[in-house]
Every structure is written in structure tokens, then in C-alpha cells.
Amino acid sequence: MKGLFIALEGPDGSGKSTMIKGLEEYFKKKGMDVLITREPGGTPIGEAIRKILLDNRNRSMFPETEALLYAASRGQHVREKILPAIKAGKVVLCDRFILSSLAYQGVGRGLGIEEVRMINDFAIKGIRPDLTLFYHIDPETTLQRKTRKRGGDRLESEGIDFHRKVYLGYLEILKKYSNNVKIIDATKTKKEVLNQSIYCIEEFLKGRKSNETYNRHSPGPGRTKFTR
Ligand code: TYD
């Protein structure tokens, strides 16, 4: 199979990390080579940027600085790790991608969805996941759970108003950028959420296969790179 780029998105504590492990197992059982990665981070430079972004001491960071740092980490990540893995035919499972910036910086920080999309387009030249799985869950419950467990990093420690804004931002963005995004009910049990995720992936792959058969006769635009 050719490479596949899947991003997992959702509010803080929506269970993405657990799902990534389950999905890794699913793909490995099918004999596929899987790369698990995350944002911000994923490369040595990206992980250094991550430390700056999540450090509770950096409370004086301006929203613009924050948005540019997330985009910088993403630019490095795409070129150094994601694209080479896709070219090598791997399945890339990425914990968060561009929709996080649109929701957290675009809406949460009030920078504007279009403005944040533009700086990301500069950073990653329009590279988009083949499929995005959005884990839909109310942020109140999940955030309480997470900050109680380990104090919370700079973003998690933002008040509930910020996280509610991010959540509503995600819903607004999903209306606009619904292309290849599947919404998963993350309030269900882990097993049910994993099954929903696998179902969405299989449906996507079926669609891709039938498009390929069609495109053999009429070649369409390349994969992975989308315009809006
Ligand atoms: P992390 O501990 O990885 O959070 P989670 O497990 O919920 O994914 O920390 C990443 C934090 O950075 C998280 O609060 C979301 C935020 N974030 C942005 O604000 N913008 C972005 O573009 C990305 C990728 C993450």
C-alpha cells in the first residue's frame, strides 16, 4: 500500500494518545509499517520548540509568537519526518496537526482562522493529512481529569473559558474544512472509540481504492497535497 497520513485531533484529554496506540497495533497486525509522531514536536528541533511552548514559565508569550512557533515546529516536522515516511510507504499517525492551530491559536487566542491558516500554508506548503479523525468530547470533563492528574502544562492550565472557545472553534472549523475529516464520539468506551476509528479508516481506504481504479483511466490531482 502507498503511504497514508492520518492526523488525530480533539480537545485536551480527548483520548488521542490511547487511540494512537490502538491504531498502531491495528496497522501492525495488517503488516504495515507505522510511524507515530506528535505536534508540537516530532523532530529534535520540534521537541525543543515544544518545551518552550508548554513551559509554564512562559506565561508572557504573545499569541502571535505562539502561533509562529507551532507553525515552525510543523514545517520542520513535515519536511524532516512526515513526507519521507509517506514516500517510504509508511502509515503516519500524528497526534494533532494544523486543525489544532486553527482552533487553539485561530479561535482560542483570537488570531483568526484564516490568518493562522496562512502562516501554516507558508510553513507546510499546503500539505494536509489524507484523513483526520476528530475525537469529539466536551472539554469540561476531560480537562478536569487531565489537570487533576498531573498539574497541567501551559496550555492545559488555561481556564475553562479558553478550552470552551477552542472546542467551539473546532466545531466551526469542521463545518468549513470538513474535507476528509471524520468525527468520532469520544465519550464511548475505549474499545468502542477504537472500533469507530478503524471503521472510518477502512471506509476511507475503500474510497481511495475505488478512486485509484477510476484515476487509472483519468489521472487526477496528486495525493496528500490539497487546496481548500
Ligand atoms: P499535549 O500534552 O501534547 O496535549 P494533548 O495530549 O492534549 O494533545 O500538548 C499540546 C498542547 O498544545 C495542547 O494543549 C494543544 C496545544 N496545541 C496548540 O495550541 N496548537 C497547535 O498547533 C498544536 C499542535 C497543539
Side-chain angles (χ1 to χ4, degrees):
M1 191 181 84
K2 57 183 185 175
L4 176 64
F5 177 18
I6 301 178
L8 287 81
E9 291 278 358
D12 282 73
S14 52
K16 293 175 281 90
S17 320
T18 315
M19 284 309 122
I20 280 211
K21 286 188 204 117
L23 290 176
E24 177 185 30
E25 228 173 87
Y26 162 79
F27 280 115
K28 282 194 169 160
K29 270 193 198 143
K30 285 178 155 282
M32 292 174 190
D33 207 350
V34 185
L35 172 78
I36 288 192
T37 190
R38 68 170 176 184
E39 293 210 342
T43 63
I45 292 172
E47 290 295 325
I49 296 175
R50 179 184 176 90
K51 279 207 185 92
I52 299 173
L53 278 165
L54 301 187
D55 191 335
N56 268 315
R57 288 171 302 181
N58 290 334
R59 296 215 168 262
S60 60
M61 190 181 293
F62 285 99
E64 288 80 0
T65 314
E66 188 178 285
L68 288 165
L69 285 175
Y70 278 111
S73 165
R74 183 163 299 128
Q76 185 71 25
H77 193 199
V78 163
R79 288 178 183 79
E80 186 178 330
K81 208 165 165 187
I82 297 178
L83 285 180
I86 295 171
K87 277 195 189 132
K90 292 185 186 175
V91 176
V92 177
L93 298 174
C94 189
D95 192 341
R96 298 193 179 281
F97 200 66
I98 190 169
L99 291 193
S100 287
S101 283
L102 302 185
Y104 282 78
Q105 282 67 53
V107 181
R109 298 296 191 208
L111 291 177
I113 295 172
E114 279 311 300
E115 283 75 1
V116 174
R117 187 187 60 79
M118 277 186 316
I119 61 162
N120 276 277
D121 278 350
F122 169 73
I124 60 173
K125 305 280 179 289
I127 301 297
R128 296 285 185 273
D130 296 304
L131 175 67
T132 297
L133 302 175
F134 176 72
Y135 291 89
H136 187 199
I137 189 163
D138 133 49
E140 269 90 357
T141 341
T142 57
L143 196 71
Q144 267 174 16
R145 217 165 53 202
K146 212 165 175 181
T147 41
R148 210 186 305 125
K149 212 163 62 187
R150 55 176 173 81
D153 59 41
R154 192 176 64 89
L155 271 288
E156 282 160 4
S157 318
E158 284 291 339
I160 190 65
D161 286 351
F162 173 76
H163 287 280
R164 203 176 292 121
K165 243 165 127 183
V166 169
Y167 169 74
L168 294 174
Y170 262 127
L171 300 186
E172 185 187 336
I173 291 156
L174 290 183
K175 275 192 217 143
K176 230 173 148 182
Y177 298 87
S178 55
N179 198 18
N180 289 337
V181 181
K182 295 286 171 215
I183 300 175
I184 305 222
D185 181 356
T187 61
K188 301 274 194 258
T189 65
K190 278 180 194 164
K191 198 170 170 218
E192 282 170 310
V193 177
L194 182 61
N195 285 341
Q196 282 183 65
S197 312
I198 291 172
Y199 175 80
C200 291
I201 291 169
E202 291 184 343
E203 286 298 298
F204 170 79
L205 289 176
K206 266 191 230 160
R208 182 158 97 168
K209 219 171 168 187
S210 51
N211 271 346
E212 275 167 14
T213 318
Y214 173 75
N215 285 338
R216 223 174 277 148
H217 305 288
S218 78
R223 56 173 301 287
T224 301
K225 186 163 180 158
F226 298 108
T227 46
R228 280 204 292 150

